[in-house]
Amino acid sequence: MEPAAGASSQKMAESWSFLDTVEPNFRPLVVIELAKGTKEETIEWFTKRIVDKKANGGAQLLVKPLGTENGEENIYLVGASHLRLLLGAETVGLVKECNDNSMRTFTYSSRKTFKDFADDNHNFLTIAECQYIIKHELENLRAKDEKMIPGYPQAKLYPGKSIDEIRCYFGETIALYFGFLEYFTFALIPMAVIGIPYYVFAWEDYDKYVMFATFNLLWSTVILEVWKRICAIMTYRWGTLLMKRQFEEPRPGFHGVLGINPITGKEEPVYSSIKRQIRIYLVSLPFVCLCLYFSLYVMMIYFDLEQWALDYHEENESTFSNLMLFVPSIIYAVVIEIMNRIYRYAAEFLTSWENHRLESSYQNHLILKVLVFNFLNCFASLFYIAFVLFDMKLLRQSLATLLITSQIINQFAESVFPYWLQKRHKKRMKKRMYAMKTDTDLSLVEQVNLEKEMGTYFGTFDDYLELFLQFGYVSLFSCVYPLAAVFAVLNNITEIYSDALKMCRVYKRPFAEPTANIGVWQLAFETMSVISVVTNCILIGMSPQVNALFPDSKMDLMLTVALVEHLLLAIKFIMAFVIPDKPRDIQIKLAKLEFESLEALKQQQMKLAAESLKE
Amino acid sequence: MEPAAGASSQKMAESWSFLDTVEPNFRPLVVIELAKGTKEETIEWFTKRIVDKKANGGAQLLVKPLGTENGEENIYLVGASHLRLLLGAETVGLVKECNDNSMRTFTYSSRKTFKDFADDNHNFLTIAECQYIIKHELENLRAKDEKMIPGYPQAKLYPGKSIDEIRCYFGETIALYFGFLEYFTFALIPMAVIGIPYYVFAWEDYDKYVMFATFNLLWSTVILEVWKRICAIMTYRWGTLLMKRQFEEPRPGFHGVLGINPITGKEEPVYSSIKRQIRIYLVSLPFVCLCLYFSLYVMMIYFDLEQWALDYHEENESTFSNLMLFVPSIIYAVVIEIMNRIYRYAAEFLTSWENHRLESSYQNHLILKVLVFNFLNCFASLFYIAFVLFDMKLLRQSLATLLITSQIINQFAESVFPYWLQKRHKKRMKKRMYAMKTDTDLSLVEQVNLEKEMGTYFGTFDDYLELFLQFGYVSLFSCVYPLAAVFAVLNNITEIYSDALKMCRVYKRPFAEPTANIGVWQLAFETMSVISVVTNCILIGMSPQVNALFPDSKMDLMLTVALVEHLLLAIKFIMAFVIPDKPRDIQIKLAKLEFESLEALKQQQMKLAAESLKE
């Protein structure tokens, strides 16, 4: 179908100007809900902006009101033509696979060289990519000067599938979380397999003991390094490893006096970096320290209560006193949970008040605050039992209790309870729907109204935090309680399903977000594995079996422990340094791309130089 | 001077085709010496390749034989026209300052926007940049299929000047070395100033002691972090921070069966990575371990000799026996020096045999091998004295002896001796010249013949190694010998001059090489500062003053020391993490450039998409 030469400019015009109004098959991709009571003219103007041509500052998308009888609900379905999506894919810099199996940045002009591309193949872009493109266009609209209530996408529900399918539907951030969860579960299996005989046969000989701890330390280093490589393989195939980072716009909550951004030269709110530093170091930091101190204080009260309950039990031994023994633990577990929640709100408020310009820097500061507090809250009592009370039996018992209860609470609070709430709501909704007997496309309207009531998923933060704390339980005191890995594996197998359930049926479908790695979590896990070297070495040094080896001199024992610890840390760092972060074939592919782009740049510069000389 | 439209294509042709033969002012930039006995036709063909047009596969440079009467010496001067150099600057991707003070990649078409640019300003490119461009062009010639004996550049001698002037003359690699040397000397001054009263008043109270060590540790972390920032400021101004890394060609020594390079798709020697790994881990690694063991063995012999000399002195006290006391130290110092030299050759041979494809990977493996061995050779005896013999007096004495003698030997072997050799040669040369009475440009011929005999400077490796070992002497046992910093400062002040002398008068002028940082040395210095935390903590823990604080329990002392050590290490890592590697204004400038290039890319893609639709 070669177009005649005369038709070319008309075709061009069509592609950017008329295409959106002539699309016959409207496929809704994103649902926008405007605030109740939005004025008619505002709505009209807003929908016009969405469909308007690019040249007029619009997004050139398709929009259709959701046809419910009672027009109160300002719900709109947003879609886009196939061509519009392809041009958008170029704008956001998507990287796709070519016919020669290499990954390249998609451009509309070179579209024919991409695998599975055909002008009539509407599945060339995954549904997650389509949504990302539309979200990007809508946000650019907002960046101009409007306000928009964040919409939620049309959600087609399906349960846990392979990571690639998850990626096509939910996008890379969530797929990478599931990938990490799956990888981490598999990686825990060797630990669990080795841990079981330790528990069953109560192996507490010196050599087996040390072997287990050493294996644990090397294992934790290796799995974190190998994860980087697996992550690189996955994100290369998905194209996000190569995707150029978009320039970051200020986050919605950012405010300041209007000024000139030194980077873009555009007018936007500016906020002095010194003021932010003052807020961070003079307010947030002391506040966090105070919270940490408070958390330690609560822990000391718990130990007092525990002691009191024990004394009470010894004085008047009865069923009541026996029950009383559990009360302090239960109170403490509940208090920890409450403190975590309150602190989370405080951390979000403070970080937002620090007024970070970029979403990424906001996230980093928030994660750091929450991580430190959660770490202390969850592990302080264990550290106290291990290194102040020197009570290994109590340590094992507390570790088991904390690990198992936190897993049960999490599974329940995260998915079972919200799922039940949502199911109840769905029934009520269905009844109401049938009562109304609307004549428009019932299933779509029904679904949108149903999903409107679903909770919003606030990103993978809590899910990673859960895994992080679990990693702590498994690795920090591994040589005291080898069974921890078994429970972690069992938990994670159900976690995969409960997280899938949560994302598919409990929450509104989150927007897809491309990402190349798990970011700051890699650092958090690596820090945890460094701390675990220290704790495990001390635990081994404290064990009666090791103490028996140095009957005469405690000094020699301590020197040996310190030496071994430093050696292990050195080995850890050398291993992290020696194991390449990307597998060799990915390295070669990346180098090839870089070489080609350098060559192309050279050619282009030669051409430009020649042209400029001609003028 | 607007050229008429008709003249444009002629001018274009001129720029790339005729320009080199019409240049009136030939300025020699690089001198090439061909092997003796090179055939006449080879020379003719070679010089033709240099002047040939780009289109014919030549380098389009200027070449002129050095006019000596006896035509045996195949010495050629290579130069280039101003325009050729500007076009070459674009090819190698030089980054220069614009009129608006921002740094941008130079292109010929945008030449008018650059600071100090004028068509008749031949100093727009520094002499180091000109040489780098010519070297790049000549090497690209070689990469085709010729052999070329590395030439040496015309050297205009001048002694130590400001870093920026050094950079213009010697290029960034050497300028950065001098920058680091200067910075490091300044950074040592606070340590030296604090160290003097410690020595003079023999302050050995517990609190002053610990204060000094703590100050030392924080100081070493801070100076290494601050150096990164200063380095970023310098290299931003020089343009190398922004310069795109050129694609690395295989290093000259690399060999293998001819195959297809998976990255470039070109035919070139290929060598299996598994074979290389086998050579590294099964040959080089055991060899290095063996050498380390041998070095420790020699050290133990030295201590035996020392003990024997001491016994001998005690038995028959005489002048002879007194002199005998120094013999073991002298023998050991000489043996260390010899072992270092032999090992260096072995390391070079092994690393070359490992057959690394890239110069950078060759350098990294060589540096690692040499560093580990030199570290052990220089510091093993100190570690042994400190942590096995527990003899602080001997430690202080050995440290002082090693530091001062190594400084004197280095200064002498590095510059004074070669300078004397070269001076003697110069006199002989002058005599011969006047005897010949040639009528060509005497001073140039004289200088070229003179410099031909000079040694070749093999890069900054040895200079950095010297600073690295010095840093070890200053920081590892700082609390035992606070005067070390004073000697280091004194040495470095003369080192700046002796290095300048060495590079200007003793060696052939090295080719300029752009670089953005001091590379693997940053890591080496940081590792040294981590090790120094450990050694200083142990030294403080071993001091009688600190021991007196824990009269009852050695255990408590050791626990305290271990705790403090871990705290200091944690503080170090947090500081390294919190202090940004680039100052804020450089960050903003880089972000601005990135923003602009992303915007330009977007514009270009839009344009291309529009064009492709038109077709």
Side-chain angles (χ1 to χ4, degrees):
Chain A
M1 240 183 51
E2 292 269 309
S8 74
S9 71
Q10 191 243 320
K11 197 182 173 199
M12 162 67 198
E14 178 190 36
S15 69
W16 273 107
S17 310
F18 303 114
L19 61 89
D20 300 329
T21 47
V22 295
E23 185 75 9
N25 307 316
F26 178 80
R27 181 169 67 149
L29 286 162
V30 169
V31 179
I32 295 177
E33 181 181 16
L34 295 175
K36 296 235 159 155
T38 309
K39 283 181 194 154
E40 198 62 45
E41 65 220 52
T42 315
I43 295 172
E44 196 177 307
W45 176 83
F46 174 71
T47 51
K48 191 171 176 301
R49 281 297 296 276
I50 293 178
V51 294
D52 235 2
K53 289 168 199 167
K54 269 270 167 194
N56 303 341
Q60 222 163 334
L61 300 170
L62 306 173
V63 70
K64 208 171 122 179
L66 182 75
T68 48
E69 287 236 314
N70 48 343
E72 278 173 80
E73 292 173 293
N74 297 320
I75 297 181
Y76 292 86
L77 305 172
V78 179
S81 70
H82 183 51
L83 180 56
R84 177 71 192 82
L85 287 172
L86 291 179
L87 293 168
E90 188 175 324
T91 314
V92 299
L94 278 194
V95 175
K96 301 283 284 181
E97 192 174 3
C98 285
N99 285 325
D100 60 349
N101 294 326
S102 64
M103 306 295 299
R104 270 160 226 283
T105 306
F106 179 79
T107 61
Y108 187 73
S109 53
S110 64
R111 65 192 181 279
K112 300 256 152 88
T113 63
F114 285 84
K115 207 171 183 174
D116 296 330
F117 182 87
D119 277 324
D120 55 349
N121 177 10
H122 287 212
N123 294 324
F124 174 68
L125 297 172
T126 69
I127 191 154
E129 281 163 351
C130 293
Q131 285 192 345
Y132 177 66
I133 292 163
I134 291 198
K135 187 182 171 227
H136 182 265
E137 293 295 345
L138 289 177
E139 276 183 345
N140 270 11
L141 211 59
R142 181 218 62 171
K144 292 271 156 55
D145 50 17
E146 340 298 337
K147 278 181 194 157
M148 194 190 86
I149 287 85
Y152 59 96
Q154 170 236 24
K156 215 164 105 194
L157 313 176
Y158 54 87
K161 293 217 179 167
S162 88
I163 305 300
D164 275 339
E165 284 175 274
I166 295 174
R167 178 237 160 188
C168 292
Y169 184 72
F170 278 118
E172 286 79 11
T173 304
I174 288 173
L176 212 54
Y177 165 70
F178 276 104
F180 183 70
L181 176 57
E182 208 171 77
Y183 169 77
F184 188 62
T185 308
F186 272 112
L188 278 170
I189 288 176
M191 290 299 297
V193 168
I194 295 175
I196 291 172
Y198 272 84
Y199 183 78
V200 174
F201 302 115
W203 280 343
E204 294 198 349
D205 314 341
Y206 164 67
D207 48 351
K208 297 208 182 74
Y209 209 64
V210 170
M211 250 173 54
F212 184 75
T214 313
F215 175 76
N216 181 42
L217 297 178
L218 296 181
W219 162 84
S220 69
T221 310
V222 170
I223 63 160
L224 291 177
E225 288 301 313
V226 171
W227 164 250
K228 281 192 218 159
R229 295 164 67 94
I230 289 181
C231 182
I233 294 175
M234 284 204 292
T235 52
Y236 174 80
R237 205 150 39 86
W238 296 344
T240 49
L241 187 64
L242 292 166
M243 202 165 160
K244 284 236 169 52
R245 204 164 54 80
Q246 294 281 322
F247 187 78
E248 262 189 292
E249 296 283 338
R251 62 186 294 270
F254 178 69
H255 56 87
V257 272
L258 225 58
I260 300 291
N261 180 328
I263 294 165
T264 58
K266 285 180 197 161
E267 208 177 35
E268 66 167 44
V270 194
Y271 188 73
S272 141
S273 144
I274 296 154
K275 271 194 204 161
R276 189 178 302 124
Q277 300 286 333
I278 289 174
R279 286 185 173 187
I280 292 174
Y281 288 107
L282 296 187
V283 180
S284 296
L285 189 65
F287 175 79
V288 172
C289 291
L290 205 75
C291 287
L292 296 179
Y293 177 78
F294 183 72
S295 156
L296 289 178
Y297 191 79
V298 168
M299 183 192 79
M300 295 313 295
I301 294 176
Y302 156 67
F303 281 111
D304 285 349
L305 272 180
E306 188 94 351
Q307 192 57 48
W308 174 84
L310 212 68
D311 292 346
Y312 182 84
H313 177 65
E314 271 165 19
E315 274 170 34
N316 359 257
E317 218 156 311
S318 65
T319 326
F320 174 72
S321 76
N322 215 335
L323 277 175
M324 278 296 282
L325 275 181
F326 288 93
V327 171
S329 290
I330 294 169
I331 292 178
Y332 186 51
V334 172
V335 169
I336 279 188
E337 198 58 31
I338 292 172
M339 287 200 312
N340 273 347
R341 297 277 154 119
I342 294 176
Y343 179 80
R344 178 73 181 273
Y345 283 111
E348 271 171 18
F349 174 79
L350 270 181
T351 316
S352 159
W353 177 72
E354 280 162 23
N355 202 8
H356 294 275
R357 193 180 160 273
L358 300 180
E359 183 65 26
S360 59
S361 113
Y362 170 84
Q363 285 294 340
N364 286 344
H365 277 83
L366 179 61
I367 290 178
L368 189 67
K369 283 197 191 71
V370 176
L371 267 195
V372 170
F373 187 77
N374 272 269
F375 182 85
L376 202 81
N377 232 356
C378 290
F379 299 120
S381 66
L382 296 176
F383 274 90
Y384 187 79
I385 294 170
F387 306 126
V388 180
L389 302 180
F390 298 115
D391 189 340
M392 289 307 121
K393 224 186 121 204
L394 183 59
L395 176 62
R396 190 170 309 180
Q397 188 193 314
S398 302
L399 185 59
T401 316
L402 271 176
L403 176 65
I404 295 165
T405 49
S406 77
Q407 288 183 351
I408 292 171
I409 291 176
N410 263 322
Q411 296 265 6
F412 190 79
E414 239 182 49
S415 22
V416 181
F417 183 65
Y419 181 62
W420 174 76
L421 269 186
Q422 207 252 329
K423 201 137 201 181
R424 218 184 49 165
H425 171 74
K426 195 175 179 179
K427 266 189 196 157
R428 228 187 318 140
M429 201 64 201
K430 268 214 173 127
K431 260 189 218 156
R432 193 145 53 104
M433 280 289 166
Y434 283 111
M436 271 158 57
K437 285 208 168 93
T438 51
D439 50 25
T440 52
D441 179 14
L442 186 69
S443 73
L444 182 66
V445 172
E446 191 188 54
Q447 202 182 0
V448 167
N449 273 303
L450 191 67
E451 290 172 8
K452 210 182 67 171
E453 302 297 318
M454 284 168 136
T456 305
Y457 178 67
F458 286 112
T460 48
F461 182 90
D462 287 298
D463 300 306
Y464 277 115
L465 183 64
E466 203 185 323
L467 281 186
F468 173 75
L469 295 177
Q470 186 190 68
F471 184 62
Y473 287 123
V474 172
S475 61
L476 283 180
F477 306 98
S478 62
C479 58
V480 171
Y481 190 57
L483 218 56
V486 179
F487 282 103
V489 168
L490 291 179
N491 176 69
N492 288 358
I493 290 171
T494 55
E495 179 87 15
I496 292 173
Y497 288 96
S498 70
D499 278 347
L501 175 83
K502 182 174 79 179
M503 293 198 199
C504 294
R505 300 205 175 257
V506 178
Y507 289 120
K508 283 173 204 160
R509 175 172 169 190
F511 272 105
E513 195 67 50
T515 185
N517 50 52
I518 61 171
V520 72
W521 291 104
Q522 183 81 33
L523 189 70
F525 276 79
E526 278 166 10
T527 309
M528 181 71 94
S529 91
V530 168
I531 297 173
S532 76
V533 171
V534 181
T535 53
N536 277 292
C537 282
I538 301 175
L539 282 180
I540 290 175
M542 277 170 19
S543 73
Q545 294 86 7
V546 176
N547 270 266
L549 288 177
F550 297 86
D552 305 321
S553 161
K554 287 267 169 195
M555 279 288 282
D556 286 354
L557 166 67
M558 282 196 58
L559 281 176
T560 315
V561 168
L563 197 72
V564 168
E565 187 224 329
H566 283 84
L567 269 181
L568 282 173
L569 282 178
I571 291 173
K572 252 187 97 71
F573 281 107
I574 292 171
M575 272 172 72
F577 190 76
V578 167
I579 300 174
D581 285 357
K582 295 185 187 94
R584 226 188 122 63
D585 61 320
I586 301 280
Q587 278 178 34
I588 288 178
K589 280 174 187 161
L590 291 182
K592 194 174 170 185
L593 274 179
E594 203 195 327
F595 172 75
E596 285 174 357
S597 87
L598 281 176
E599 287 290 300
L601 202 73
K602 247 187 224 166
Q603 294 298 327
Q604 203 189 358
Q605 280 179 347
M606 295 286 258
K607 208 176 114 186
L608 281 175
E611 271 174 20
S612 74
L613 280 174
K614 244 187 252 175
E615 276 159 20
Chain B
M1 237 182 56
E2 292 268 307
S8 74
S9 71
Q10 190 240 321
K11 200 184 170 196
M12 163 64 198
E14 178 192 36
S15 67
W16 274 107
S17 310
F18 303 113
L19 61 93
D20 299 329
T21 47
V22 295
E23 185 75 7
N25 307 315
F26 179 81
R27 180 169 66 149
L29 285 163
V30 170
V31 179
I32 295 178
E33 182 180 16
L34 295 175
K36 296 233 160 155
T38 308
K39 283 182 195 154
E40 198 61 45
E41 67 220 52
T42 316
I43 296 170
E44 195 177 308
W45 176 83
F46 175 71
T47 52
K48 192 172 175 299
R49 281 296 296 276
I50 293 178
V51 294
D52 233 5
K53 288 169 200 164
K54 268 269 169 194
N56 304 340
Q60 222 162 334
L61 300 170
L62 305 172
V63 70
K64 208 172 122 176
L66 183 74
T68 47
E69 286 236 314
N70 48 344
E72 279 174 80
E73 291 174 294
N74 297 321
I75 295 181
Y76 291 87
L77 305 172
V78 179
S81 70
H82 183 52
L83 180 56
R84 177 71 191 83
L85 287 172
L86 290 179
L87 293 168
E90 188 175 324
T91 313
V92 299
L94 278 195
V95 175
K96 304 281 286 180
E97 193 174 2
C98 286
N99 285 325
D100 60 347
N101 294 327
S102 63
M103 306 297 298
R104 270 161 226 278
T105 306
F106 178 80
T107 61
Y108 186 75
S109 54
S110 64
R111 64 193 182 281
K112 301 257 155 98
T113 62
F114 284 84
K115 208 171 183 172
D116 297 329
F117 182 87
D119 278 326
D120 55 348
N121 176 10
H122 287 210
N123 295 324
F124 174 68
L125 296 171
T126 69
I127 191 155
E129 281 163 351
C130 293
Q131 286 192 345
Y132 177 67
I133 291 163
I134 293 202
K135 188 183 168 224
H136 183 264
E137 293 294 344
L138 289 176
E139 275 184 345
N140 268 10
L141 214 56
R142 183 216 64 171
K144 293 270 155 55
D145 51 17
E146 343 296 337
K147 277 180 195 161
M148 192 191 84
I149 288 89
Y152 59 95
Q154 170 237 24
K156 215 164 100 193
L157 312 176
Y158 56 88
K161 293 213 177 169
S162 88
I163 306 298
D164 275 340
E165 285 173 274
I166 295 174
R167 179 237 160 186
C168 293
Y169 184 73
F170 279 118
E172 286 79 11
T173 304
I174 288 173
L176 211 53
Y177 165 69
F178 277 104
F180 183 69
L181 177 56
E182 208 171 77
Y183 168 77
F184 188 59
T185 309
F186 272 110
L188 278 169
I189 289 176
M191 288 301 296
V193 167
I194 295 174
I196 291 172
Y198 271 85
Y199 183 77
V200 174
F201 302 115
W203 279 345
E204 295 198 347
D205 313 340
Y206 164 68
D207 49 350
K208 297 209 181 74
Y209 209 66
V210 170
M211 250 173 55
F212 184 75
T214 313
F215 175 76
N216 180 44
L217 296 178
L218 295 182
W219 161 86
S220 68
T221 310
V222 170
I223 63 160
L224 291 175
E225 288 302 312
V226 171
W227 164 250
K228 280 192 219 158
R229 296 165 66 94
I230 289 182
C231 182
I233 294 174
M234 284 206 290
T235 52
Y236 175 80
R237 205 149 37 86
W238 296 344
T240 49
L241 187 64
L242 291 167
M243 202 166 159
K244 284 238 167 53
R245 205 166 52 82
Q246 292 282 321
F247 187 78
E248 262 189 292
E249 295 284 337
R251 61 185 295 269
F254 178 69
H255 56 85
V257 272
L258 225 58
I260 300 292
N261 180 327
I263 294 165
T264 59
K266 286 180 197 161
E267 209 177 34
E268 68 168 42
V270 195
Y271 188 74
S272 138
S273 142
I274 295 155
K275 273 193 202 163
R276 188 178 304 123
Q277 299 287 332
I278 288 174
R279 286 183 173 189
I280 292 174
Y281 288 107
L282 295 188
V283 180
S284 296
L285 189 64
F287 176 79
V288 171
C289 291
L290 205 74
C291 288
L292 296 178
Y293 177 77
F294 183 72
S295 156
L296 289 178
Y297 192 77
V298 169
M299 184 192 77
M300 294 314 295
I301 294 175
Y302 155 67
F303 280 110
D304 284 350
L305 273 180
E306 188 94 350
Q307 192 56 46
W308 175 82
L310 211 68
D311 292 348
Y312 181 83
H313 176 66
E314 271 168 19
E315 275 169 34
N316 359 253
E317 218 156 310
S318 66
T319 327
F320 175 72
S321 77
N322 215 335
L323 274 176
M324 279 294 282
L325 275 180
F326 288 94
V327 172
S329 290
I330 295 170
I331 293 178
Y332 186 52
V334 172
V335 168
I336 278 188
E337 198 56 32
I338 294 172
M339 288 201 311
N340 273 346
R341 296 278 155 121
I342 295 176
Y343 179 80
R344 179 71 182 274
Y345 283 112
E348 271 170 18
F349 172 79
L350 269 181
T351 317
S352 160
W353 175 73
E354 279 162 23
N355 201 10
H356 293 276
R357 194 181 159 271
L358 299 181
E359 184 64 26
S360 59
S361 116
Y362 169 85
Q363 285 295 338
N364 285 345
H365 277 84
L366 180 61
I367 289 178
L368 189 66
K369 283 195 191 74
V370 176
L371 265 195
V372 169
F373 188 76
N374 272 269
F375 181 85
L376 201 81
N377 233 356
C378 290
F379 299 119
S381 65
L382 297 177
F383 274 91
Y384 187 78
I385 294 170
F387 305 126
V388 181
L389 303 181
F390 298 115
D391 188 341
M392 289 306 121
K393 227 186 116 201
L394 183 60
L395 176 62
R396 192 170 307 180
Q397 189 192 312
S398 302
L399 185 59
T401 316
L402 271 175
L403 176 64
I404 295 165
T405 49
S406 78
Q407 286 184 351
I408 292 172
I409 292 176
N410 264 323
Q411 296 266 6
F412 191 80
E414 239 184 50
S415 23
V416 181
F417 183 66
Y419 182 61
W420 173 77
L421 269 185
Q422 207 254 326
K423 202 137 202 181
R424 220 184 49 165
H425 171 74
K426 196 175 180 178
K427 268 191 196 155
R428 232 189 315 142
M429 202 63 203
K430 269 215 171 125
K431 261 188 218 156
R432 194 145 55 103
M433 279 290 167
Y434 283 112
M436 271 159 59
K437 283 209 170 92
T438 51
D439 51 24
T440 51
D441 178 16
L442 187 70
S443 73
L444 182 64
V445 172
E446 192 189 54
Q447 201 185 0
V448 167
N449 275 301
L450 191 69
E451 291 174 5
K452 210 181 70 172
E453 304 296 318
M454 285 166 132
T456 306
Y457 177 69
F458 286 113
T460 47
F461 182 89
D462 286 298
D463 300 305
Y464 276 116
L465 183 63
E466 205 185 322
L467 282 185
F468 173 74
L469 295 177
Q470 187 190 70
F471 183 62
Y473 287 123
V474 172
S475 61
L476 283 181
F477 306 98
S478 62
C479 56
V480 171
Y481 189 56
L483 217 55
V486 178
F487 284 103
V489 168
L490 291 178
N491 176 69
N492 288 358
I493 290 171
T494 56
E495 179 86 16
I496 292 173
Y497 288 96
S498 70
D499 278 348
L501 177 82
K502 184 173 79 178
M503 293 197 197
C504 293
R505 300 204 175 259
V506 177
Y507 290 121
K508 282 173 203 159
R509 175 171 170 194
F511 273 105
E513 195 66 52
T515 184
N517 52 51
I518 61 172
V520 72
W521 291 105
Q522 183 79 36
L523 190 69
F525 276 79
E526 278 165 10
T527 309
M528 182 71 96
S529 90
V530 168
I531 297 173
S532 75
V533 171
V534 181
T535 54
N536 278 295
C537 282
I538 301 175
L539 282 179
I540 290 176
M542 275 167 25
S543 74
Q545 293 84 7
V546 176
N547 270 267
L549 288 179
F550 297 87
D552 306 321
S553 162
K554 287 264 172 200
M555 278 291 280
D556 285 354
L557 167 67
M558 285 198 56
L559 281 177
T560 313
V561 169
L563 197 70
V564 168
E565 187 224 329
H566 282 84
L567 268 181
L568 282 173
L569 283 178
I571 290 172
K572 252 187 96 71
F573 281 106
I574 291 170
M575 272 171 72
F577 191 77
V578 167
I579 300 174
D581 285 357
K582 296 186 185 94
R584 226 189 122 65
D585 61 321
I586 302 280
Q587 278 178 35
I588 287 177
K589 280 172 185 163
L590 291 181
K592 195 175 169 185
L593 274 178
E594 203 197 325
F595 172 75
E596 285 174 359
S597 86
L598 281 176
E599 287 290 301
L601 201 75
K602 244 187 227 167
Q603 293 298 324
Q604 203 189 358
Q605 280 180 347
M606 294 287 258
K607 208 176 114 185
L608 281 175
E611 269 175 21
S612 73
L613 280 174
K614 246 186 251 171
E615 277 160 18

